[in-house]
Amino acid sequence: MTTTELQDYVPEEEWPPVSTMLDGFGDQTLPASPALAATKIALVATDGTPVEYSFLTSSELAWAEGTATGTAHYKAIEARPGIFIIDFVRGQGDGKDADAQNVTIILDQTTGAVTTAVSGFVVSDGKVRGTTHFTHSNASGQATVHQRSADLVGKRIFYRYSDVESYEHIYLNQGTFTWHCVRGGEAGLADTDRCMTWAVAEDLYIFFWTEQVMTVEAVLLIDLREQRSIGRMFGWDNPAAQPVTLPFNSRLTVLNATSYPQDTHKH
């Protein structure tokens, strides 16, 4: 009997805190790239605000957004040649309070296209909830930006985050997907949440989801060619009353793809 056949519905009040995933997922195993050191990205936000990221070293950057400035420790992973996913946390208290923001930048040096995701927290009805703002721009001044994609729709993909953590995703439509923990700290948990997908290159996608039960904002690259995902989850741990940053990478397997019958007969 498989693990899923032993599982059953888990009521929301029995769900563990977000921090449960930390030990099972472990550390991000893909190496940091030093390729961006001594370079910078200059962008314009959708509201016209100038934004600049200066990579001072292979691990430290300075950021400027309008009149706001700061420095942070970052990690850049070269997902494919010239395509980077860059991640850092900024905010008061070195990212230990509700003002913290997790910034993820996907940079394609071949086209100049840049997608920036800034995840943070808001208080709604007395609860801390997540929110993510996306900016799509071009560091080379060209018109090319990452476009929404429906390429994942219909696919069922199995993700191995570690030896003890496995999940599956079922992509229902362009804005909705179902996730299910097959094995690990959230075994048996499942939900259907909002998502968005953008195409970066052939079989390479930016994927975002936000959860409605737990406070989790996830931004990642899904690479069907290399059969892996690279990204992070940014959540709020209610018992500890602090943010949880979970960088990860996984090995993936496309289990199947759904195609609906084309009914031509009238009833």
Side-chain angles (χ1 to χ4, degrees):
M1 185 174 287
T2 64
T3 302
T4 53
E5 288 169 337
L6 296 172
Q7 294 172 358
D8 205 341
Y9 175 76
V10 181
E12 181 180 332
E13 59 270 17
E14 295 179 16
W15 285 32
V18 173
S19 55
T20 300
M21 294 183 288
L22 287 173
D23 291 338
F25 275 63
D27 295 326
Q28 196 173 44
T29 57
L30 293 174
S33 169
L36 298 180
T39 69
K40 67 173 58 178
I41 304 173
L43 308 168
V44 177
T46 48
D47 63 359
T49 302
V51 180
E52 188 171 276
Y53 301 101
S54 299
F55 301 96
L56 308 175
T57 69
S58 60
S59 61
E60 296 292 326
L61 63 76
W63 59 270
E65 186 171 331
T67 58
T69 61
T71 58
H73 178 82
Y74 78 94
K75 183 177 183 180
I77 295 174
E78 193 166 10
R80 289 190 188 177
I83 300 176
F84 296 86
I85 180 167
I86 306 148
D87 198 74
F88 68 94
V89 175
R90 68 186 184 194
Q92 296 180 357
D94 296 324
K96 299 301 183 183
D97 58 30
D99 291 325
Q101 294 179 317
N102 197 155
V103 181
T104 300
I105 305 165
I106 292 87
L107 165 66
D108 185 350
Q109 292 180 325
T110 60
T111 65
V114 179
T115 291
T116 305
V118 180
S119 296
F121 303 108
V122 296
V123 178
S124 176
D125 295 328
K127 293 181 63 177
V128 177
R129 303 301 303 169
T131 181
T132 300
H133 176 72
F134 286 89
T135 300
H136 305 282
S137 48
N138 194 293
S140 303
Q142 302 178 56
T144 303
V145 294
H146 299 133
Q147 300 291 335
R148 287 286 299 274
S149 171
D151 289 357
L152 294 180
V153 175
K155 290 182 171 57
R156 186 172 191 155
I157 301 180
F158 184 71
Y159 295 90
R160 304 168 188 83
Y161 294 99
S162 71
D163 291 340
V164 296
E165 293 280 348
S166 300
Y167 286 72
E168 64 178 335
H169 288 182
I170 304 170
Y171 304 97
L172 304 176
N173 56 43
Q174 287 196 58
T176 317
F177 88 118
T178 294
W179 60 265
H180 167 226
C181 182
V182 177
R183 182 177 59 163
E186 294 187 332
L189 269 62
D191 208 354
T192 299
D193 288 312
R194 178 187 171 222
C195 67
M196 289 190 286
T197 305
W198 295 268
V200 178
E202 186 175 0
D203 289 333
L204 181 65
Y205 306 94
I206 299 166
F207 185 68
F208 158 76
W209 84 80
T210 179
E211 298 190 15
Q212 57 187 338
V213 176
M214 292 193 288
T215 300
V216 171
E217 302 287 298
V219 179
L220 58 148
L221 280 175
I222 295 175
D223 193 333
L224 299 183
R225 189 187 76 186
E226 301 299 323
Q227 296 186 309
R228 66 186 181 192
S229 71
I230 310 164
R232 56 82 168 170
M233 297 181 201
F234 191 55
W236 183 258
D237 185 354
N238 280 313
Q242 67 179 21
V244 174
T245 304
L246 180 60
F248 64 82
N249 55 265
S250 76
R251 302 303 303 178
L252 68 82
T253 301
V254 178
L255 300 178
N256 57 55
T258 300
S259 57
Y260 295 102
Q262 299 298 314
D263 293 330
T264 57
H265 299 290
K266 294 181 179 180
H267 297 282

